Amino acid sequence: MAHKRRVEVEAILALAVASAALIRARGANSPLWPSSWRVVVVLSAVMLAAAFVVAVRLARRWSFAGRATRALIEIGLSTAGRQPRLARARRSGKTWDLAWRMPAGVSVSTLLRRRDEIEEALDVSAEFWYERGLVHMRAAAGQLPDRVAFAEFYSRPRPKPAGRLPIGIGVTRHGPLWSDLADLPHLLVGGQTNSGKSAFIRQLVTWAVLTHTPEDLRLGLIDLKGGLEFNVFERLPHMLHPVARDLDGCLELMEVLLAELDQRQAALNRSGAESIRRWNFGGSGPHLPYVLVVVDEMAELSAVESSTRDEKGRRQAALASVSRICRLGRATGFHVIVSTQRPDAEAVPGQIKANIPATVAFRVRSAINSRILLGEDNTGAASLPPLPGRGIWQFDNEVRFQSIWLDKPAAEAALAPLVAQAAGTERVTPCLPLLPRKQL
């Protein structure tokens, strides 16, 4: 192993240099072994010091790496008597980058299936990938906090580039976790009652409106849990429509959103712009704001909950509208956040889940709910600790995190200057008109 051989060479060179220095100090004609006890003491001290330094460096480099290799072997990641062989170990702060040559039959997908066991054995958060014949693991040994305050998180410098709609997710073992809602482009949030869903959405929407003017961002909010969670936002100038608190209000809002979607599609097609970003950048027409649609408690739109045929049809129509916005909304600037405390197949139909690539999974009741949120064979959300805000982020990678906490009084205080500007939807512009081609 390259690093181990390098440390051994360093030890030999250090001892050789120390010995040569002492011999030279006594003169070229002196015997090799020193005759004076003082010289013996000095030489022994130098050799012991060099050995101690090398031992410390070796322990720092290989203590965790050795534990990780033993953990893989004990978990059973070996075939036909062949075991993983550590090829590389690097440390940066509390993060380790390790690489192994795996025996035939042990792949990255195998490690991903055993991720929970590996993370629990090493008390780390781990990522795995394959490159140039080696299986790599990046392991972060930092501890997750029990709570992350809104002001504390957003007072930190934002990553560069921050993106067009940057949002804070929380804190991982690696540090702050950010994402760009414009790139996702939609997000599914699931978890049981009191797991942290509402606080997560509250902080996300609050941050979005604090960092974007009404000319750059509009809100379409659907609260089907009784209409209480979104009261803090209902008087913002960013509102595209009053908060929808029941099925009738949801259908009315969907009609407004779909009309805007169709108008934008027609305008983009006529101008030749492939996205809202190109439209706004090229000055093809009126500046178009992004539209953030939040559906809190998706299960209330499930047709299974219907008591009559008419109600069933209306619920199906609402679900179809959400699905259409998810399918077609990215290019026209529509971004959807769907939340549910009952993540089953009826609450989150397959056609909607297929168009929402990013997921935040808080603690759920069963392994089945976890698989619906995170994918087959992934039961991680069912084994999360019972801490509000502890969740799993899944997009281009999968990582555990502690979400950002913001209660209602703090949100109201932060939004008070915006609420004072205008109330309701008075400043919201109508749907983009269908302009003649020559005007586009």
Side-chain angles (χ1 to χ4, degrees):
M1 292 174 282
H3 283 281
K4 189 173 182 180
R5 285 196 296 270
R6 189 171 68 193
V7 173
E8 291 171 350
V9 170
E10 290 174 354
I12 294 171
L13 289 175
L15 295 176
V17 169
S19 301
L22 285 176
I23 292 172
R24 183 177 180 181
R26 300 194 67 231
N29 297 325
S30 298
L32 183 63
W33 184 255
S35 57
S36 170
W37 67 268
R38 290 186 179 87
V39 177
V40 172
V41 171
V42 173
L43 179 60
S44 300
V46 171
M47 295 178 67
L48 287 174
F52 177 76
V53 171
V54 172
V56 169
R57 292 186 64 186
L58 185 63
R60 286 180 176 177
R61 284 184 179 176
W62 291 94
S63 58
F64 177 80
R67 283 200 303 122
T69 304
R70 289 193 298 272
L72 296 184
I73 296 171
E74 292 170 0
I75 288 172
L77 298 178
S78 57
T79 57
R82 303 191 63 179
Q83 299 176 343
R85 291 191 303 126
L86 187 65
R88 189 177 304 158
R90 295 174 182 169
R91 182 180 180 180
S92 176
K94 295 184 178 181
T95 301
W96 284 85
D97 287 309
L98 309 178
W100 293 273
R101 294 193 183 278
M102 290 293 182
V106 179
S107 63
V108 172
S109 59
T110 306
L111 271 69
L112 290 175
R113 287 196 297 269
R114 311 293 292 273
R115 182 204 298 266
D116 288 345
E117 299 173 60
I118 296 171
E119 290 181 338
E120 290 177 7
L122 299 174
D123 190 23
V124 298
S125 174
E127 302 175 22
F128 298 96
W129 70 94
Y130 178 85
E131 184 179 1
R132 298 182 180 180
L134 301 176
V135 172
H136 296 256
M137 178 179 80
R138 178 172 292 121
Q143 297 300 311
L144 288 176
D146 292 338
R147 176 168 290 193
V148 180
F150 181 86
E152 174 192 355
F153 181 89
Y154 287 112
S155 64
R156 305 179 186 185
R158 277 189 281 172
K160 308 278 185 202
R164 287 162 285 161
L165 287 175
I167 54 173
I169 305 300
V171 174
T172 71
R173 290 177 184 262
H174 296 275
L177 175 62
W178 289 76
S179 187
D180 184 5
L181 190 58
D183 286 338
L184 291 181
H186 312 300
L187 177 63
L188 172 62
V189 182
Q192 65 188 33
T193 304
N194 296 324
S195 61
K197 299 186 309 301
S198 297
F200 174 77
I201 293 175
R202 185 185 304 124
Q203 69 84 19
L204 188 154
V205 176
T206 298
W207 170 253
V209 299
L210 287 176
T211 53
H212 294 83
T213 66
E215 288 71 31
D216 294 322
L217 179 69
R218 294 285 192 265
L219 298 178
L221 305 180
I222 302 172
D223 185 357
L224 300 175
K225 294 194 302 185
L228 300 178
E229 291 297 336
F230 291 155
N231 286 349
V232 67
F233 305 118
E234 64 182 351
R235 296 183 57 209
L236 290 175
H238 298 71
M239 294 296 293
L240 180 66
H241 186 275
V243 176
R245 293 182 170 85
D246 53 27
L247 184 56
D248 290 335
C250 177
L251 290 171
E252 184 179 340
L253 174 56
M254 286 299 164
E255 184 177 350
V256 173
L257 294 173
L258 291 177
E260 182 74 14
L261 175 65
D262 292 338
Q263 297 277 34
R264 291 188 178 196
Q265 278 190 319
L268 293 180
N269 288 335
R270 295 187 182 192
S271 69
E274 69 277 7
S275 67
I276 183 178
R277 185 180 186 184
R278 179 70 178 274
W279 170 279
N280 288 336
F281 181 77
S284 301
H287 180 82
L288 297 178
Y290 288 98
V291 179
L292 177 57
V293 182
V294 184
V295 184
D296 194 5
E297 199 39 72
M298 190 72 172
E300 292 299 317
L301 296 181
S302 172
V304 177
E305 304 292 332
S306 306
S307 57
T308 64
R309 180 176 297 181
D310 176 66
E311 184 181 356
K312 180 178 180 179
R314 297 190 324 136
R315 289 176 186 267
Q316 289 176 334
L319 279 174
S321 298
V322 175
S323 179
R324 185 164 184 262
I325 294 173
C326 289
R327 289 197 313 272
L328 306 176
R330 180 174 189 170
T332 53
F334 283 76
H335 303 284
V336 180
I337 298 176
V338 171
S339 172
T340 181
Q341 65 183 13
R342 198 191 75 190
D344 52 34
E346 288 77 23
V348 188
Q351 70 270 20
I352 292 180
K353 180 66 170 68
N355 290 286
I356 303 180
T359 300
V360 167
F362 294 105
R363 183 178 175 85
V364 295
R365 292 186 177 87
S366 68
I368 295 175
N369 294 151
S370 179
R371 292 189 183 101
I372 291 173
L373 286 172
L374 300 173
E376 295 182 3
D377 300 325
N378 195 329
T379 61
S383 59
L384 287 171
L387 292 174
R390 186 63 55 88
I392 296 175
W393 165 258
Q394 187 185 73
F395 181 47
D396 49 357
N397 63 346
E398 182 178 306
V399 61
R400 296 193 179 194
F401 72 99
Q402 182 67 32
S403 70
I404 303 160
W405 172 257
L406 179 68
D407 58 19
K408 277 190 174 181
E412 291 172 351
L415 296 173
L418 296 176
V419 172
Q421 294 179 18
T425 58
E426 292 177 5
R427 293 180 57 190
V428 174
T429 56
C431 294
L432 185 70
L434 285 174
L435 301 177
R437 185 178 179 83
K438 63 180 180 180
Q439 291 181 293
L440 294 174

